[in-house]
Amino acid sequence: MIKFLDLQKINLAHQQEIEEKLIQTFRSGWYLLGKEVKTFEDNLKAYLGATDVIGVANGLDALRLILRAYMELGIMKKGDEILVPANTYIASLLAISDNGLVPVLVEPNPETFNIEISKLEEKITPRTRAIMLVHLYGRVVWDKDIEKLVTKHQLKIIEDNAQAIGAEWNGIKTGNLGDAAGFSFYPGKNLGALGDGGAVSCKDEELGKTIRALANYGSNEKYVNMYQGLNSRLDEIQASVLDIKLKYIDSKNARRRAIALEYCSRITNPAIVLPPLPEKDTEHVWHLFVIKTSNREKLQNYLSENEIQTLIHYPIPPHKQMAYKEMNELSFPVTEKIHKEVLSLPISPVMTDEEVEKLIQTINQYQA
């Protein structure tokens, strides 16, 4: 069986280092807001080139806290609008609506799946305060037009970088392109913890200070609470594991790129629409390898019969979810078509060459 993602194998590759660090952290007697979190924050900050990094409990909280901090600083208020891709995981929208802000959906580019940059300006109103860019599936979404747009309209750029750690645009890492970014360290991410975890990166010291307080009950000083904050903290154990795995992120991403190149150059079945390769390989870290096909169920069943696991990211777009029933009548045809046709193939740094070969040959033999 070719697993969609073999998390056990991924983590066992670092078994000795992780076990030694876990024992050390366990014996320290300090499990929250200690030196392991500080070390990881500093190392991630250096890796990104960011001004500040704050470890938090998960990726959703990272985005929630960024928006909440902007509200506390008077830069946003309830009812303000945030542009966000219609084609994204629901967490991107949840972070917006949870703060009393309004998500304004923008259709994606049908080839890259990322937000269609040319459609952003038509969605901007006097209430628009930010654009949330989602580097979906690990592909950078950025260009000079975005920079011109945010300057012209005085908008903030918030990156949902849950799937793209290590990707670059013109030598700048995602997570350091916009004003602030949210990271997820869910176990299946390119940089995954042994449980939940997340982080915020930002360029503004005051924003970082505010987020750090909000994530700790609204407090920068024990028992002194400036804000009605949250309890959203990355713990010492997860930070210690993440700091080990951060050292290997570039080599792991390189393996993903190598597999993606094999898929894109050697899968020739006309029933399969492959994702386009980026102009520069550093612009994509291939968190997911997502194809399109007109009869997804048939292909998925065929691959399963041939012992190849696949997943669907994502079967229902956010505006069709009951959680956003007020949006259910809206029409985003590009997004809706994508959600009916996409299928994610296995891609991970621990896939063997033999597994890659089997997958390519099996798909090429598929009869639509």
Side-chain angles (χ1 to χ4, degrees), residues 51-52 69 73 202-212 226-227:
T51 299
D52 200 2
L73 292 170
C202 63
K203 294 179 177 177
D204 183 290
E205 290 184 2
E206 188 63 24
L207 180 67
K209 183 179 178 182
T210 305
I211 290 169
R212 196 174 294 278
M226 295 178 60
Y227 312 104

Side-chain angles (χ1 to χ4, degrees), residues 33-43 45 236 239:
L33 300 180
K35 69 180 184 66
E36 298 297 340
V37 170
K38 179 65 166 56
T39 297
F40 174 64
E41 288 176 342
D42 287 345
N43 287 337
K45 179 171 65 175
E236 289 284 281

